[in-house]
Amino acid sequence: MAASEAIDIRSLIRTIPDYPKPGILFRDITTLIADPLGLRAAVDGLVLPFLKAGIDHVAGIEARGFILGGAVAHELGRGFIPIRKKGKLPWKVIGQEYSLEYGVDTIEIHADAIGKGDRVLLIDDLVATGGTAEAAIELIRRSGGEIVAAAFVIDLPDLGGADRLRGHKVDVHTLVSFEGH
């Protein structure tokens, strides 16, 4: 039996009320990834649907997407592309702005990270409103890459992010869902 079949991933995710602000239920994966079987189950769950998908690269969104995306890339035998906050990459970059609740932020990748026609799997820990993932998908496409899918441990369906990504013709794969914010 695979670890992903024996472990209840949802039970290993800690919920922190009123973080980062009142009314928010923060879904913390640090408890999941600290558990060896939980980490294995999460990585297996993110990898297995894509074993035969012809992935060229795995891209992960800073910061928890680095942890999961690096493990997924390793399991698939592919390279990893970090998608970072503005100003964190040391070479020529392309950036994409996205809206936050109060303002705008930017994520970046190296300009030469993705080649024309490269097939990319996007990984992050959670999809909420989908804004950051949407910006990452735009970066991948602007680089000439093809987004194979976006995969997340957690979906917050009440916030509509997964549906927003599907509206951009992106396959979305999630392992667990939590109602609310």
Side-chain angles (χ1 to χ4, degrees):
M1 177 183 294
S4 57
E5 296 170 3
I7 298 296
D8 177 9
I9 290 172
R10 184 182 174 91
S11 71
L12 294 173
I13 297 169
R14 175 175 33 211
T15 298
I16 302 170
D18 299 321
Y19 182 84
K21 63 183 190 177
I24 301 292
L25 294 171
F26 184 82
R27 308 304 178 167
D28 178 20
I29 67 156
T30 62
T31 47
L32 170 68
I33 63 176
D35 182 286
L37 293 178
L39 177 60
R40 169 53 59 200
V43 171
D44 285 353
L46 295 171
V47 166
L48 292 175
F50 304 104
L51 286 174
K52 296 183 181 185
I55 305 292
D56 294 307
H57 303 286
V58 174
I61 301 171
E62 186 171 350
R64 291 170 296 277
F66 288 5
I67 298 163
L68 297 164
V72 168
H74 174 77
E75 289 295 318
L76 291 174
R78 298 295 178 241
F80 178 76
I81 298 169
I83 299 175
R84 304 239 25 211
K85 295 175 182 173
K86 186 176 182 172
K88 299 292 185 178
L89 290 170
W91 199 69
K92 295 176 189 170
V93 298
I94 62 170
Q96 182 66 42
E97 289 185 346
Y98 62 99
S99 295
L100 299 168
E101 188 173 354
Y102 299 105
V104 175
D105 208 348
T106 303
I107 55 173
E108 299 176 329
I109 60 172
H110 279 135
D112 62 353
I114 298 170
K116 184 175 171 85
D118 285 354
R119 294 173 49 81
V120 181
L121 173 61
L122 178 65
I123 301 288
D124 205 359
D125 66 322
L126 178 141
V127 59
T129 65
T132 308
E134 183 179 51
I137 289 163
E138 180 63 21
L139 274 177
I140 291 165
R141 289 179 171 162
R142 283 179 43 216
S143 296
E146 176 187 333
I147 184 81
V148 173
F152 308 89
V153 173
I154 302 167
D155 180 20
L156 302 179
D158 292 349
L159 297 178
D163 288 337
R164 180 177 176 179
L165 300 181
R166 289 182 189 104
H168 290 283
K169 300 188 182 335
V170 173
D171 270 346
V172 177
H173 173 69
T174 60
L175 303 183
V176 298
S177 295
F178 287 92
E179 300 303 317
H181 299 109

PDB file of all heavy atoms in Angstrom, residues 88-93 110:
ATOM      1  N   LYS A  88      14.498  38.739  -5.981  1.00  0.00           N
ATOM      2  CA  LYS A  88      15.181  37.633  -5.301  1.00  0.00           C
ATOM      3  C   LYS A  88      16.047  36.782  -6.224  1.00  0.00           C
ATOM      4  O   LYS A  88      16.863  36.008  -5.753  1.00  0.00           O
ATOM      5  CB  LYS A  88      14.167  36.717  -4.609  1.00  0.00           C
ATOM      6  CG  LYS A  88      13.341  37.407  -3.552  1.00  0.00           C
ATOM      7  CD  LYS A  88      14.174  37.788  -2.371  1.00  0.00           C
ATOM      8  CE  LYS A  88      13.308  38.374  -1.266  1.00  0.00           C
ATOM      9  NZ  LYS A  88      14.094  38.704  -0.098  1.00  0.00           N
ATOM     10  N   LEU A  89      15.863  36.894  -7.540  1.00  0.00           N
ATOM     11  CA  LEU A  89      16.647  36.095  -8.478  1.00  0.00           C
ATOM     12  C   LEU A  89      17.854  36.895  -8.960  1.00  0.00           C
ATOM     13  O   LEU A  89      17.748  38.098  -9.212  1.00  0.00           O
ATOM     14  CB  LEU A  89      15.776  35.653  -9.658  1.00  0.00           C
ATOM     15  CG  LEU A  89      14.712  34.618  -9.310  1.00  0.00           C
ATOM     16  CD1 LEU A  89      13.752  34.417 -10.481  1.00  0.00           C
ATOM     17  CD2 LEU A  89      15.345  33.295  -8.911  1.00  0.00           C
ATOM     18  N   PRO A  90      19.008  36.238  -9.144  1.00  0.00           N
ATOM     19  CA  PRO A  90      20.252  36.969  -9.392  1.00  0.00           C
ATOM     20  C   PRO A  90      20.563  37.308 -10.840  1.00  0.00           C
ATOM     21  O   PRO A  90      21.573  37.952 -11.108  1.00  0.00           O
ATOM     22  CB  PRO A  90      21.308  35.995  -8.854  1.00  0.00           C
ATOM     23  CG  PRO A  90      20.718  34.649  -9.107  1.00  0.00           C
ATOM     24  CD  PRO A  90      19.241  34.825  -8.866  1.00  0.00           C
ATOM     25  N   TRP A  91      19.731  36.909 -11.793  1.00  0.00           N
ATOM     26  CA  TRP A  91      20.085  37.124 -13.190  1.00  0.00           C
ATOM     27  C   TRP A  91      18.946  37.826 -13.901  1.00  0.00           C
ATOM     28  O   TRP A  91      18.041  38.348 -13.273  1.00  0.00           O
ATOM     29  CB  TRP A  91      20.429  35.767 -13.838  1.00  0.00           C
ATOM     30  CG  TRP A  91      21.225  35.890 -15.096  1.00  0.00           C
ATOM     31  CD1 TRP A  91      22.523  36.303 -15.225  1.00  0.00           C
ATOM     32  CD2 TRP A  91      20.761  35.611 -16.416  1.00  0.00           C
ATOM     33  NE1 TRP A  91      22.896  36.297 -16.543  1.00  0.00           N
ATOM     34  CE2 TRP A  91      21.831  35.865 -17.304  1.00  0.00           C
ATOM     35  CE3 TRP A  91      19.562  35.173 -16.940  1.00  0.00           C
ATOM     36  CZ2 TRP A  91      21.726  35.699 -18.674  1.00  0.00           C
ATOM     37  CZ3 TRP A  91      19.462  34.999 -18.307  1.00  0.00           C
ATOM     38  CH2 TRP A  91      20.543  35.261 -19.158  1.00  0.00           C
ATOM     39  N   LYS A  92      18.942  37.846 -15.217  1.00  0.00           N
ATOM     40  CA  LYS A  92      17.877  38.485 -16.001  1.00  0.00           C
ATOM     41  C   LYS A  92      16.560  37.774 -15.729  1.00  0.00           C
ATOM     42  O   LYS A  92      16.499  36.542 -15.749  1.00  0.00           O
ATOM     43  CB  LYS A  92      18.188  38.428 -17.487  1.00  0.00           C
ATOM     44  CG  LYS A  92      19.408  39.214 -17.885  1.00  0.00           C
ATOM     45  CD  LYS A  92      19.709  39.022 -19.359  1.00  0.00           C
ATOM     46  CE  LYS A  92      21.056  39.638 -19.690  1.00  0.00           C
ATOM     47  NZ  LYS A  92      21.486  39.278 -21.052  1.00  0.00           N
ATOM     48  N   VAL A  93      15.514  38.556 -15.490  1.00  0.00           N
ATOM     49  CA  VAL A  93      14.223  37.981 -15.125  1.00  0.00           C
ATOM     50  C   VAL A  93      13.105  38.544 -15.995  1.00  0.00           C
ATOM     51  O   VAL A  93      13.259  39.580 -16.633  1.00  0.00           O
ATOM     52  CB  VAL A  93      13.871  38.254 -13.639  1.00  0.00           C
ATOM     53  CG1 VAL A  93      14.882  37.611 -12.700  1.00  0.00           C
ATOM     54  CG2 VAL A  93      13.729  39.745 -13.367  1.00  0.00           C
ATOM     55  N   HIS A 110      13.705  33.422 -14.000  1.00  0.00           N
ATOM     56  CA  HIS A 110      14.811  33.761 -14.888  1.00  0.00           C
ATOM     57  C   HIS A 110      14.326  33.727 -16.328  1.00  0.00           C
ATOM     58  O   HIS A 110      13.540  32.852 -16.716  1.00  0.00           O
ATOM     59  CB  HIS A 110      15.976  32.786 -14.710  1.00  0.00           C
ATOM     60  CG  HIS A 110      16.837  33.109 -13.541  1.00  0.00           C
ATOM     61  ND1 HIS A 110      17.274  32.171 -12.658  1.00  0.00           N
ATOM     62  CD2 HIS A 110      17.351  34.301 -13.103  1.00  0.00           C
ATOM     63  CE1 HIS A 110      18.019  32.747 -11.728  1.00  0.00           C
ATOM     64  NE2 HIS A 110      18.075  34.035 -11.977  1.00  0.00           N
TER      65      HIS A 110
END
